[in-house]
Amino acid sequence: MTSFDTSPQLNVWRALLALAVVFVMLATTGWTALRSHRESTALQASLAKWEHGSIHGLHLPDPEASPARLARFFASLTPHERDRLAHRYPLAVGNMNGAPVSLRYRANRVALDEARKVEKKRMHDSRLSAAGQRDAGHRMHRYESLMSPGRHIVAFDPEGSGRVAEVFGNLTKAERISVVVPGVDTDLLTFQRTNRRYSAPVGMAKALYAAERAQSPATRTAVIAWADYTAPDGLGVDAATGLRAEDGAVRLNALLRALPGRAPVSTICHSYGSVVCGVAAHDMPRRVTDIAVAASPGMRVGNASHLDTPARVWAMRNATDWVRDVPYLELGGLGHGADPVSSAFGARVLSARDAQGHSGYFQPGTDSLRNLADVGVGAYDAVTCARENDACRAGLPGTTTAGRA
């Protein structure tokens, strides 16, 4: 159970807002400086090795080159040559925007196996405390789970609390793509859960994928559980500021620009994930047609028009979600701006009447999940609006005045 899954002590949040200047100075100077002095990670080491590598006597391309440039490079290779690069530089290739997704899946499987072996050794390392050995065991089992047949890992970084993204469906043949962007306390170990499964990224994405297929069986869909950013840990300063969202927005847009094909894309953003999507919105590629936020503490703007995006902006919140009580304002860098479900914000407000609590939006059978699936497949005439009217469907092409009962 995570901090954002429970009802928080809102006076803590308000105290953070009251001390805005002090906290922001700490967050943007001293704390950031300390975080910047880190040892090289396994991913950085793999990228450095790639940068010094070659094939056919020629240097490998810059891993930060445009996805189109990298796609052309990989297309020029034989299948054997591509596989050789995936095995030689698994973390680099597995996280390389522009590499074929099937190659990224294979590379990340190699990287996961290498990380699994590291954690297996750490489980029996006498220099670690009992708690450290248990943590190594948890991570090893998570890696084994991610390596299970049929799982498609499109991004993976074992550093720190870990980052990961998984694809459900055929990404290269999809006619509609949805990207689920989760909120605080999301990391490698909370990427999926056995209990309360639909509050974790994997459960959210699987539920959305199933709902999209039920809504439009003839539409080829793909859903990405995207936990490839460092989310805030609990309700501290990071959760009250946009610092983590700014880094996450860069990473999210890098993924969006590298998605294969030309299928329309929807971002489905939950809790602090909606802050990430709000910061990213102005720079999203034009193929992103819809941005839907649930349980949002704000999108760091005062109005939907300030997101500076041609995408349709949707919002929902149920009556039992504690996030409704957070201060919807921004002061000295703390807080995330206006309430996305307020009339003044200007989003298309969807019904979430059946959802319960902060993490209940992806529960199968709820109107919130059905509405998110409708947005994901472009079935705008099927969505139900929050205020029992047709306002959220107004002006949309192909819609009618009749909604779902």
Side-chain angles (χ1 to χ4, degrees), residues 281-364:
H282 76 281
D283 202 31
M284 286 180 177
R286 294 188 68 84
R287 68 186 292 189
V288 177
T289 57
D290 298 272
I291 301 170
V293 301
S296 177
M299 301 180 74
R300 299 200 69 77
V301 293
N303 186 279
S305 64
H306 299 162
L307 293 171
D308 192 24
T309 175
R312 286 171 285 269
V313 181
W314 308 81
M316 63 169 63
R317 187 179 65 220
N318 71 69
T320 62
D321 190 340
W322 59 259
V323 82
R324 65 188 299 177
D325 295 321
V326 305
Y328 281 98
L329 52 86
E330 187 275 331
L331 176 64
L334 289 171
H336 301 303
D339 183 354
V341 303
S342 66
S343 298
F345 189 79
R348 299 174 182 272
V349 184
L350 296 164
S351 173
R353 181 176 52 198
D354 297 345
Q356 294 294 314
H358 190 66
S359 300
Y361 296 87
F362 294 83
Q363 184 72 34

Side-chain angles (χ1 to χ4, degrees), residues 164-189:
V164 63
E166 182 172 9
V167 175
F168 300 91
N170 190 322
L171 192 59
T172 58
K173 295 183 178 180
E175 297 170 312
R176 303 282 307 198
I177 298 171
S178 297
V179 182
V180 175
V181 184
V184 304
D185 288 332
T186 296
D187 57 30
L188 194 70
L189 294 181

